[in-house]
Amino acid sequence: MNKCDIGIYGLGVMGQNLSLNFASRGFSVAVYNRREADEENITNTFITTKCQGKKIIGTRNLEDFINSISLPRKIMLLVSTGNAVDEVINQITPFLDVDDIVIDGGNSHYRDTARHLSQMESQGFMFVGCGISGGAEGALKGPSIMPGGSFQAWDKIKFMFQAIAAKNEDNNPCCEWIGPEGSGHFVKMVHNGIEYALMQLIAESYDIMKRLLFMSADEICSVTSEWNSGALNSYLMEITRNILKVRDTDSEPLIDNILDCAAQKGTGRDISISALELGVPVTAISESINARLISTMTTERSLAAHEFINTTQYAGDRKALLKVLEDALYCSQIIVYMQGFSIIAKGAIEYKWDVDLTQIARIWQNGCIIRSKILKAMCASLKKNLVDNVLLNPTFKETIKQKHSGWRKTIMIAITHGIPVPVLSSTLSYFDGICSEHLPANLIQAQRDYFGLHGYEKINASRGIFFHSKWDR
Ligand code: NDP
């Protein structure tokens, strides 16, 4: 029997769809899923229901799986994050040969990936931590792929990964080498953080339309459809429009029957922690996670609702509010992407990764969840490892100048009526902070020196010279 080009371990949503994608590009695939007692044979079911006539072979046990793959082996793990990855690496390692390549395609923490990399390289194997975005459909038809780790592995997997990746408008694959260690998973973590914030921004706009303008799902659908055909065109806007069209069994819009309690997995939390560790303000991302946490406080919300706020219909010009809301969404999205790129830039400096921001913006242009017209425009303005120029770039500078009063107006109206807009407003505060030549941090420094003798710098002295005062004298 001919050996397979690649092995996929883990036949959940991603494993199955990526196997089919590899096979559709002409690669032969060996697949394996653990079999717990009493569990249905997932491998068999997948092979018999979805793989007829395709170059995908099911394997019964680990040894069989590993032996079905041609040397040097390329083995992709698509298992749950955390302990599962450690367990699987430990299971397969005894069967590997020197120069085999193990690729973790899940959402592992970048520090775990760095640990796995040194563990594997010390035994003569190669390891790649590979962020993949695009959900089930992307995995099947072409995701955005962010690989990093053992650079020697790139030469051997590049043609396969670029073949299965989405292509951008220039027909270039949305898959490029990110850098060493856990950089691929770091960039994927940031991608997911941006995703959280963009989703929350659309949700806040929906809330303003629903609770302030009393618009029906169909009316909101028309607005999102219009936005999606203009400057706010994005994958997330497109799926929002599609979601708003769907009816439940009672013929009512399904969206109106869904409980307003949002779940999350780990990557959003991970980026907030990493941002604090690296000293980078990613306020939009952190606020979007907080907003999901508040949404889960259903009992508390139900008790407090109507005690303090009684949202009434907006009495002002409805058309004008929709226009400024569109402007607000545009400006806030720029800040969300900018915060995402700024943590990648800081991470690259801190961890000594030579990461190319323009390349990352390019591989996010198709296949992934955060693809958008704004991101496409931003790609041209990002210099290698430099984000300072996003706001000062002529395209964005002029647009923000035109739109930022609408941004403020939207937030004022929402706040006055008791509609929470944590990401719309935190992005504006970030913008105002960045644009303030003077901030009240002088008072913070004085307070720190008062109680902790931390010292302060003075305006007319050189930077780095610290002064103390006897404040309570
Ligand atoms: P699923 O939950 O659909 O599948 C998880 C897979 O992991 C199953 O095959 C499961 O096997 C296997 N698994 C779990 N624990 C173990 C273990 N201890 N040992 C061996 N195998 C184990 O997950 P997805 O396919 O959705 O996700 C896979 C990875 O990809 C995750 O890291 C996820 O975060 C990431 N990802 C997911 C995306 C998505 O849209 N779904 C998008 C991008 C990344 P079993 O069936 O026996 O339980």
Side-chain angles (χ1 to χ4, degrees):
M1 186 189 78
N2 283 341
K3 303 236 173 184
C4 292
D5 298 316
I6 190 162
I8 303 268
Y9 185 129
L11 290 173
V13 175
M14 295 300 283
Q16 292 199 12
N17 285 301
L18 281 165
S19 301
L20 293 167
N21 188 349
F22 275 112
S24 75
R25 310 284 161 179
F27 301 111
S28 51
V29 190
V31 296
Y32 177 73
N33 198 87
R34 69 172 174 179
R35 190 162 179 204
E36 306 255 79
D38 302 332
E39 200 181 48
E40 63 153 320
N41 190 331
I42 291 170
T43 309
N44 263 357
T45 311
F46 175 56
I47 294 291
T48 50
T49 58
K50 297 189 183 163
C51 303
Q52 295 305 312
K54 300 190 170 82
K55 289 200 285 184
I56 302 179
I57 63 154
T59 57
R60 283 163 301 160
N61 55 49
L62 256 189
E63 202 171 351
D64 192 12
F65 170 64
I66 304 277
N67 287 332
S68 310
I69 308 163
S70 62
L71 292 172
R73 296 185 186 89
K74 295 151 195 96
I75 300 172
M76 193 162 193
L77 314 183
L78 286 150
V79 298
S80 315
T81 49
N83 290 343
V85 179
D86 285 283
E87 283 172 30
V88 173
I89 287 175
N90 290 336
Q91 283 166 22
I92 62 173
T93 305
F95 300 102
L96 297 181
D97 285 283
V98 167
D99 288 342
D100 280 353
I101 304 165
V102 175
I103 304 134
D104 176 9
N107 277 337
S108 293
H109 193 286
Y110 66 97
R111 287 209 174 97
D112 287 338
T113 301
R115 179 170 54 79
H116 293 142
L117 179 100
S118 60
Q119 176 191 340
M120 296 300 272
E121 283 190 342
S122 70
Q123 297 174 76
F125 312 127
M126 290 186 253
F127 191 79
V128 176
C130 185
I132 300 181
S133 171
E137 196 185 340
L140 180 65
K141 296 181 180 163
S144 170
I145 308 179
M146 296 146 254
S150 308
F151 183 62
Q152 309 89 299
W154 182 226
D155 236 14
K156 302 194 168 59
I157 61 170
K158 183 177 178 177
F159 70 105
M160 297 180 79
F161 280 62
Q162 292 195 334
I164 65 155
K167 307 291 176 292
N168 66 16
E169 276 172 1
D170 309 329
N171 207 28
N172 285 314
C174 295
C175 169
E176 216 23 272
W177 188 251
I178 301 293
E181 299 173 349
S183 57
H185 276 142
F186 184 90
V187 169
K188 175 67 197 309
M189 172 188 77
V190 175
H191 165 287
N192 285 18
I194 293 173
E195 174 186 305
Y196 271 59
L198 297 178
M199 289 168 76
Q200 177 63 24
L201 276 176
I202 296 177
E204 289 171 18
S205 310
Y206 161 78
D207 205 19
I208 289 173
M209 289 190 268
K210 184 180 173 184
R211 292 204 289 143
L212 212 48
L213 295 177
F214 283 51
M215 289 166 66
S216 66
D218 289 337
E219 288 169 323
I220 301 172
C221 179
S222 302
V223 173
T224 52
S225 189
E226 208 175 292
W227 285 350
N228 194 46
S229 56
L232 292 178
N233 172 269
S234 70
Y235 171 75
L236 286 168
M237 192 63 80
E238 182 188 319
I239 67 163
T240 304
R241 176 200 63 193
N242 297 344
I243 286 165
L244 291 165
K245 281 183 196 161
V246 177
R247 302 271 154 180
D248 204 350
T249 43
D250 58 3
S251 302
E252 292 302 313
L254 177 55
I255 190 70
D256 293 339
N257 291 341
I258 295 179
L259 186 70
D260 54 339
C261 173
Q264 59 175 311
K265 286 193 175 168
T267 39
R269 180 201 57 212
D270 292 342
I271 183 174
S272 292
I273 295 170
S274 300
L276 289 174
E277 286 171 356
L278 288 164
V280 184
V282 292
T283 53
I285 296 168
S286 303
E287 281 304 331
S288 62
I289 295 154
N290 290 334
R292 289 198 194 184
L293 294 176
I294 291 173
S295 82
T296 65
M297 298 164 64
T298 49
T299 311
E300 293 88 339
R301 289 198 287 122
S302 163
L303 283 172
H306 313 302
E307 286 295 334
F308 303 102
I309 301 164
N310 189 9
T311 310
T312 49
Q313 190 162 0
Y314 179 59
D317 183 337
R318 296 166 64 84
K319 253 191 162 166
L321 177 53
L322 284 175
K323 177 72 199 86
V324 292
L325 179 57
E326 185 180 3
D327 290 350
L329 210 42
Y330 186 93
C331 295
S332 288
Q333 286 194 22
I334 289 177
I335 301 297
V336 168
Y337 286 115
M338 191 178 151
Q339 291 186 354
F341 283 112
S342 64
I343 184 173
I344 296 176
K346 186 69 191 294
I349 292 169
E350 186 72 20
Y351 302 125
K352 301 184 176 49
W353 299 330
D354 186 20
V355 170
D356 184 342
L357 296 180
T358 315
Q359 198 71 274
I360 292 168
R362 194 187 63 69
I363 64 175
W364 284 350
Q365 287 193 3
N366 202 2
C368 73
I369 307 291
I370 62 170
R371 61 189 189 254
S372 72
K373 205 167 180 171
I374 292 177
L375 182 60
K376 222 171 259 179
M378 196 166 275
C379 188
S381 75
L382 286 168
K383 300 271 180 298
K384 205 179 175 202
N385 292 342
L386 236 182
V387 285
D388 321 0
N389 52 358
V390 171
L391 287 183
L392 300 181
N393 170 276
T395 318
F396 292 118
K397 188 169 79 178
E398 289 315 311
T399 319
I400 293 176
K401 277 185 178 173
Q402 282 165 22
K403 295 180 186 288
H404 90 278
S405 67
W407 193 9
R408 288 182 200 284
K409 195 159 182 203
T410 304
I411 292 160
M412 273 174 351
I413 294 169
I415 288 174
T416 316
H417 289 79
I419 304 284
V421 282
V423 177
L424 280 168
S425 58
S426 68
T427 44
L428 179 61
S429 290
Y430 176 92
F431 173 78
D432 287 342
I434 293 280
C435 297
S436 293
E437 196 161 359
H438 300 289
L439 287 170
N442 50 340
L443 180 58
I444 306 279
Q445 283 300 84
Q447 289 165 334
R448 292 179 70 234
D449 191 54
Y450 189 109
F451 63 70
L453 301 179
H454 294 295
Y456 53 85
E457 294 167 283
K458 288 184 91 170
I459 290 169
N460 295 328
S462 305
R463 293 298 307 266
I465 298 177
F466 283 83
F467 297 83
H468 291 288
S469 293
K470 289 190 174 160
W471 296 98
D472 53 350
R473 198 169 31 191

